[in-house]
Structures are given as structure tokens and as C-alpha cells.
Amino acid sequence: MQPFEYTANPGRVVFGSGSIKKLGDEIKRLNKSNPLLLSTPQQKDQVQALESILKDASITPAGLFSEATMHTPTHVTDKALQYTKDSGADCVVSFGGGSTIGLGKAISIRTGLEHVCIPTTYAGSEMTPILGETADGKKTTRSDPKILPGTVIYDVDFTMTLPEALSATSGVNAIAHAVEALYARAGNPVMTLFALEGIKALASSLPIIVNNPKDVDARSKAQYGAWLCAMCLGSVGMALHHKLCHTLGGSFNLPHAETHTIVLPHAIAYNAPKIPEVMKQLADVLPESDGDTIKGLNILLTKLKVKRGLKDFGMKEEDVDKAAEIAVSNPYWNPRDIEKEPLRETIRRCWAGEEARADL
């Protein structure tokens, strides 16, 4: 066995249907009493329902900031910080997906306030010490243990109304976290176990959810898989897949989960020649792969009925060259060297919506 290092990230997880009722107890456990609630404009009504739960625990929220948006733009964070200060909040509670949780992280790392997360998607940001922020059209990331939220409440009830399309892309986004953990430079056997179990859980449950979104068992399994996959991302770092997604999302304002869904099979195909053992491990946990990881991923995405081309979300063909330039300018570590022409072709295939193939 290869030598490795493993550092367990601190954090508390409360998992299960109805666990939202423990929100007040969790805030009191932190010795806090004046939480600021965070959401997107679309989830404002949902998060307001938490006020009655807090009221039952004799807790009055400091207020609700409902302007979270994707890619965590710094001008929104600045506005939220002022709101936090004016409200006198002593902790933040983020309710939603990666956009809201990202804002919670941005506030927490700047103020030192405790951060409690209530995820409603499978994006996984709640389990990582990573913050991605966008300013002047560019997205940058940083990692710091202090960014990691202290408490996460996984209540499957809040995922039951997640639209089928978003369930699919959010779930594939989670799978991407685990895939990169399998070949990460700082990988270890603990994360490999988490990654394979998480991918298996999501790959089996997501097609069920797309066809029957009210299936509670499938929803619970998907949330469990997303948690495991997020643990991987928070522990072992990122490579080409995430570099491409950060480049494309931040520079061309593309939707986060949809971009991850489109890029994933192509990024794996790019790295395939350098990760034969990982390709075998993935094939073993992907349904209908017949020993071929790329085939298994293409079949999975077909079953999930997701859009496969970045052009469907507004990216222009002339943006392909610009994206390739940005991606090679400051590359993440990757098992295969970042070569401009094969990478450009990878991005072109993502733009065009072609099925992935390992021929680069």
C-alpha cells in the first residue's frame, strides 16, 4: 500500500427526515441566540418557515438576507456583510444549495461567525473548507479549515420538491467531487471508500428520482451519497474537472451544476490514459458500464435527461479558445499534463454537447 496522510475535517452532521426540528437545539448547542438566515430569492418563502421552528426554541432570527446567487459574487457578499453587522447576528444559517452555502461561508470566514447549513440540493459545498468567489468576471478559490461549516442538518424533506432536472445535475455535480478524489494527489484509502460508496449511491438513485421525484428512499440515498462525495472534495483537493468548471462558470456565467454535469465525462476521458485503475474502480460502481467507465457515464447522463452542451446555456463557439487559454494559464495539479490542443478539443466537445470518448 502506498503511504498516505489523512486529516479528518471537524464538523457535526445531523441526518434524517424531520431533523430540521433540531435547528434550535443546534444553535443553542453553539451558545448562540440571534441567527441570520440566508437564502436565494427563490427560496425566501421556504426559509421563512424556519422562523416558527426557531420560535418554538425561544430563538428570534436576526433577519433574513435572501440575495444569495451563484458563483458567490463579492459585491453580494459585501452587501450581506453590512446586513449581518446591522442586524447584530451572532451566527449564520444558510438554507439552500451551493449559492447560499457559499455566501454563508464568505460571511463566516470574514466575521468568524458560526455557520449552520441546511442543504436542499446535492451540491456538497457544506462539507468542504473551500470557498469560490467571483469578482470582475473571474472565479477564484481558496481553502481554509475555518471556511468549513460547523454544523450541517441533512433533512431529506427539503429535497422532495427539488425539480427533477436540478436533482439530476446537482447529483452529478456531487459525483464529480468523488471522481476527482480517486486520483487526487493527496488521495488516501479512506476517501476512496467514501468516493466509491457515494458514486454508487448516486448513480443508482438519481435515475429513480428523475422518473419518480417523490420516492423518499431514493431521495435519502441520494442525499447520503452526496454527503460522502462532498466529504471527498473537502479532504483531497481538485484537478482538471474542477479547474474547467471554475473557468467556464466564472468567466462565462454558466450555471454551476449543469456545467459540472456536462464537463465530467469529458474530463475523465481526458485523464483516462493516466488513471487505468481508477477507470476500473469507476466502471465497477456505474450501472450498465460493462467495464467501460465512459460508456457508463454516457448511459447515466442519457437516463437523467440532462442537457449535454454548454451552448445550451449561452456559451458561444468563439469562447472555446478563450476558455482554453484561461484553463492552461494557472492549471491545477492533474494526473495527465495539461496540453492546450487536447484541452481545447475537450472544451469544444463540452460546448457542442457531444458524447464523451477517450481518444485524445
Side-chain angles (χ1 to χ4, degrees):
M1 180 176 287
Q2 294 292 322
F4 67 90
E5 296 179 5
Y6 170 61
T7 301
N9 283 332
R12 176 175 169 81
V13 170
V14 182
F15 191 100
S17 177
S19 54
I20 190 62
K21 295 176 183 177
K22 300 178 181 178
L23 175 59
D25 292 337
E26 292 302 315
I27 290 174
K28 288 180 178 179
R29 190 182 64 83
L30 298 170
N31 295 317
K32 305 301 178 184
S33 60
N34 202 26
L36 173 65
L37 306 179
L38 305 174
S39 77
T40 60
Q42 295 80 8
Q43 291 186 299
K44 183 177 180 180
D45 291 341
Q46 277 185 289
V47 77
Q48 284 177 328
L50 301 183
E51 294 180 3
S52 62
I53 293 172
L54 293 172
K55 184 178 179 180
D56 289 343
S58 301
I59 294 174
T60 302
L64 167 61
F65 184 86
S66 59
E67 298 178 36
T69 191
M70 65 180 185
H71 306 307
T72 319
T74 53
H75 71 274
V76 174
T77 298
D78 291 341
K79 186 175 181 180
L81 284 168
Q82 187 61 51
Y83 189 99
T84 303
K85 180 180 178 181
D86 293 343
S87 70
D90 61 5
C91 63
V92 293
V93 175
S94 57
F95 178 95
S99 297
T100 308
I101 293 169
L103 177 60
K105 286 178 171 182
I107 294 172
S108 178
I109 191 63
R110 286 169 168 81
T111 63
L113 295 180
E114 295 275 6
H115 183 191
V116 178
C117 291
I118 306 163
T120 62
T121 72
Y122 308 130
S125 176
E126 69 279 356
M127 297 307 300
T128 75
I130 301 164
L131 173 61
E133 299 180 284
T134 304
D136 300 323
K138 290 189 177 181
K139 188 169 187 176
T140 58
T141 62
R142 57 171 164 157
S143 181
D144 187 319
K146 295 177 182 178
I147 292 173
L148 185 73
T151 304
V152 181
I153 299 176
Y154 286 109
D155 190 331
V156 69
D157 298 350
F158 287 114
T159 69
M160 297 305 296
T161 57
L162 190 65
E164 297 96 304
L166 183 54
S167 297
T169 55
S170 181
V172 177
N173 181 17
I175 289 174
H177 303 333
V179 165
E180 292 223 305
L182 293 172
Y183 53 74
R185 184 166 44 179
N188 62 72
V190 177
M191 286 302 110
T192 294
L193 289 171
F194 282 9
L196 294 174
E197 173 72 2
I199 294 168
K200 185 177 181 180
L202 282 159
S204 62
S205 60
L206 291 175
I208 297 173
I209 292 170
V210 167
N211 291 299
N212 183 13
K214 298 300 183 183
D215 189 310
V216 178
D217 288 339
R219 289 284 190 182
S220 294
K221 192 173 184 180
Q223 194 171 47
Y224 163 73
W227 166 51
L228 293 175
C229 292
M231 288 281 288
C232 298
L233 177 65
S235 299
V236 297
M238 298 176 284
L240 175 65
H241 170 85
H242 283 85
K243 176 62 177 181
L244 283 180
C245 290
H246 292 157
T247 296
L248 294 165
S251 299
F252 304 104
N253 198 36
L254 298 173
H256 183 83
E258 290 84 351
T259 300
H260 277 268
T261 298
I262 292 167
V263 169
L264 178 61
H266 296 283
I268 294 175
Y270 181 95
N271 283 326
K274 297 295 184 180
I275 52 171
E277 182 58 32
V278 169
M279 298 299 283
K280 181 179 182 301
Q281 290 174 316
L282 284 170
D284 288 343
V285 296
L286 289 171
E288 302 181 59
S289 70
D290 296 326
D292 183 337
T293 292
I294 303 303
K295 175 185 175 182
L297 282 169
N298 282 328
I299 289 174
L300 176 62
L301 295 190
T302 298
K303 283 187 171 184
L304 297 183
K305 306 171 187 175
V306 296
K307 293 181 179 179
R308 300 290 297 269
L310 295 173
K311 64 181 181 180
D312 296 325
F313 297 98
M315 186 176 177
K316 300 175 182 177
E317 187 170 11
E318 54 264 35
D319 292 333
V320 171
D321 285 320
K322 181 181 177 182
E325 290 286 350
I326 297 172
V328 300
S329 65
N330 184 26
Y332 295 177
W333 177 88
N334 193 62
R336 176 180 172 181
D337 288 344
I338 303 300
E339 305 168 60
K340 185 175 179 181
E341 286 309 311
L343 183 62
R344 185 198 179 281
E345 174 60 14
T346 297
I347 296 171
R348 189 202 64 77
R349 292 176 184 181
C350 292
W351 170 82
E354 298 175 7
E355 284 205 339
R357 55 188 190 275
D359 61 354
L360 290 174

